[in-house]
């Protein structure tokens, strides 16, 4: 074994053992920085700094986005602390950290007083530093997986083909209104990625890559990305959590166990997408909870049901393909 190979292996072991601890620390520091200046406002010439404690004490009116952001960071820390129980929780923690990043970046936009005459809000250094450490926490929470087993060229090609298929299917849809909702088949290829390669691949390919590309194509603005796209399509990672029960080594053809877990996983990821889009409608468009839930209930469950039915119908052939081209280790 040459020196370079040995160094890479030692690096992989280091992040596999200690990466989750650094992610935990980064998450804590990210919350601490929010006690600094999150938003800087100028009211009739007077400068007012908004901090986290002002927000929770009700001294300054923020939207629900900041409550959600702090909650996401805390949940990310909790899931990272469960690393020793099951490393799969790292992927969930990473999604929570990643979701907090755009919310922090949009903190100025979500500041209620920004729309009042005479009030100008700008980005604060506390939020900027918090973003940096949140990015660090998100990357570190995935480092153990990807340093230990780098993504292969074949996996990149497969992911790229399925993401491209999802983008094409996004254009084949039944629009339901001016707010962007539609019934389509885009979730199916993303579900296949999560099933084949696990939750981390589902998060990266579905929520980050496909979500960002589709957000730019749809043109509804970056403010819609965190919940409608990152959570909406990153939700396929939930199905990836069940991949061992669905595409297990001893499963060769249609079987009841696999179909049940396909149904459960599909329903859960559809529900997560529904929750994300409902939150987006409330935060970005100012809908009430009832109105947001009613609107998103029109198309998300239908789209999810279609994708679940198609993947359950194709389960047998999918098993054959998976056995012919197995994945070394789902992450």
């Amino acid at each position: 074994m040459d020196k370079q190979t040995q160094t890479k292996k030692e690096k992989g072991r280091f992040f596999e053992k200690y990466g989750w601890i650094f992610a935990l620390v980064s998450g804590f520091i990210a919350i601490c920085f929010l006690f600094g200046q999150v938003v800087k406002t100028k009211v009739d010439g007077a400068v007012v700094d908004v901090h986290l404690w002002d927000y929770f004490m009700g001294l300054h009116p923020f939207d629900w986005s900041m409550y959600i952001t702090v909650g996401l960071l805390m949940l990310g820390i909790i899931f990272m602390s469960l690393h020793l129980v099951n490393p799969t929780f790292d992927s969930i923690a990473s999604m929570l950290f990643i979701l907090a990043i755009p919310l922090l970046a949009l903190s100025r936009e979500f500041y209620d007083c920004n729309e009042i005459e005479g009030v100008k809000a700008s980005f604060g250094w506390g939020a900027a530093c918090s973003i940096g450490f949140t990015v660090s926490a998100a990357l570190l929470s995935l480092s153990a997986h990807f340093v230990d087993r780098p993504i292969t060229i074949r996996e990149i090609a497969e992911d790229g083909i399925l993401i491209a298929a999802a983008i094409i299917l996004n254009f084949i849809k039944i629009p339901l209104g001016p707010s962007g909702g539609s019934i389509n088949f885009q979730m199916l290829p993303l579900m296949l990625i999560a099933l084949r390669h696990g939750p981390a691949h589902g998060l990266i390919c579905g929520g980050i890559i496909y979500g960002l590309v589709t957000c730019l194509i749809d043109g509804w603005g970056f403010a819609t990305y965190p919940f409608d796209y990152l959570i909406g399509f990153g939700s396929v990672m939930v199905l990836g959590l069940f991949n061992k029960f669905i595409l297990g080594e001893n499963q060769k053809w249609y079987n009841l166990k696999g179909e049940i877990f396909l149904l459960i996983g599909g329903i859960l990821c559809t529900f997560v997408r529904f929750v994300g889009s409902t939150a987006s409608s409330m935060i970005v468009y100012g809908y009430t909870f009832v109105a947001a839930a009613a609107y998103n209930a029109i198309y998300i469950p239908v789209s999810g049901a279609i994708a679940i039915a198609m993947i359950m119908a194709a389960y047998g052939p999918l098993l054959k393909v998976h056995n012919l081209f197995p994945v070394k280790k789902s992450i």
Side-chain angles (χ1 to χ4, degrees), residues 4 22 78 87 113 120 175 183 185 215 228 302 306 312 314:
Q4 191 175 4
F22 287 109
I78 291 170
C113 286
K120 293 182 180 179
I183 297 172
F185 311 100
C215 179
D228 273 322
V302 177
I306 292 171
M312 288 180 72

Side-chain angles (χ1 to χ4, degrees), residues 145-330:
H145 298 297
F146 291 107
V147 173
D148 184 49
R149 193 193 72 88
I151 302 174
T152 65
I153 298 297
R154 193 188 80 178
E155 290 170 346
I156 293 173
E158 183 180 329
D159 291 343
I161 291 169
L162 289 171
I163 290 171
I167 292 172
I168 292 169
L169 290 173
N170 183 46
F171 290 101
I172 307 170
K173 56 189 175 184
I174 304 171
L176 296 178
S179 298
S182 63
I183 297 172
N184 56 36
F185 311 100
Q186 60 190 330
M187 291 292 283
L188 181 60
L190 303 178
M191 286 180 173
L192 291 175
I193 292 174
L195 272 179
R196 284 269 292 160
H197 303 286
H201 267 263
L203 168 61
I204 293 171
C205 296
I208 300 175
I209 300 174
Y210 176 76
L212 186 57
V213 171
T214 312
C215 179
L216 295 173
I217 291 173
D218 291 345
W220 296 107
F222 186 66
T224 62
Y225 173 70
F227 289 97
D228 273 322
Y229 295 92
L230 181 58
I231 272 195
F233 301 113
S235 64
V236 296
M237 71 176 292
V238 177
L239 184 59
L241 296 171
F242 298 95
N243 65 343
K244 292 180 181 178
F245 304 104
I246 298 168
L247 301 177
E249 294 179 0
N250 298 324
Q251 294 167 302
K252 306 298 181 185
W253 195 239
Y254 290 99
N255 62 86
L256 183 60
K257 175 185 173 183
E259 294 282 22
I260 290 173
F261 277 107
L262 265 176
L263 180 62
I264 294 171
I267 290 173
L268 286 175
C269 73
T270 302
F271 176 73
V272 171
R273 184 186 175 193
F274 171 76
V275 171
S277 292
T278 300
S280 183
S281 297
M282 292 172 65
I283 294 171
V284 179
Y285 298 108
Y287 284 27
T288 64
F289 172 74
V290 174
Y295 177 77
N296 289 290
I298 296 172
Y299 70 97
I300 291 178
V302 177
S303 297
I306 292 171
I308 293 167
M310 292 176 71
I311 204 167
M312 288 180 72
Y315 179 45
L318 177 61
L319 274 171
K320 282 194 171 293
V321 171
H322 185 74
N323 290 328
L324 284 172
F325 304 98
V327 178
K328 290 182 181 179
K329 182 183 177 183
S330 294

